[in-house]
Amino acid sequence: MFRYPVLAALCVVASSASTGELKARQGGTVDLGNFHGVVYYTEADDGYRVVTTMAAGEESLPVRFVATLTEGQAMVISVPGKLAGAGQALEISRAKGKLVVAEVESTQ
């Protein structure tokens, strides 16, 4: 069982899609290698407040990334791969009033 009930609850209410368009206050799941979690956003006066919470298993402390994206902005969350191997990354972008989560090629 999750040691952090809030993260567990968010995983339960999140949609099953790991990439794609999100709607305000409706989360989606994300997976980057050993890290799994959820992403959601709320609308604020200065942009979309995007919150991504991830953990590397039940025993690890979760990590939270928070950013406010305005139209045309994007953020990338990445994890390194094994030595000389490619890592994994996902991009969270805002365009045309939509928030989209997509896997992207890692730049290592």
Side-chain angles (χ1 to χ4, degrees):
M1 192 58 158
F2 280 107
R3 291 179 60 196
Y4 299 94
V6 173
L7 182 59
L10 285 172
C11 287
V12 170
V13 298
S15 71
S16 61
S18 61
T19 60
E21 182 182 337
L22 295 179
K23 296 185 187 311
R25 299 177 191 249
Q26 293 182 348
T29 60
V30 289
D31 294 300
L32 280 177
N34 292 331
F35 292 87
H36 311 283
V38 295
V39 59
Y40 71 92
Y41 77 95
T42 57
E43 295 180 32
D45 291 337
D46 56 346
Y48 288 177
R49 183 174 183 267
V50 180
V51 179
T52 306
T53 305
M54 302 183 81
E58 296 176 9
E59 299 300 318
S60 68
L61 289 172
V63 178
R64 181 172 295 128
F65 304 89
V66 180
T68 301
L69 299 180
T70 59
E71 187 65 27
Q73 288 187 314
M75 63 183 275
V76 174
I77 300 173
S78 64
V79 296
K82 294 182 180 181
L83 187 60
Q88 292 182 301
L90 57 91
E91 179 181 76
I92 302 170
S93 60
R94 179 179 173 189
K96 299 180 183 176
K98 297 177 182 178
L99 192 79
V100 177
V101 178
E103 293 181 28
V104 294
E105 192 172 314
S106 177
T107 58
Q108 294 187 14

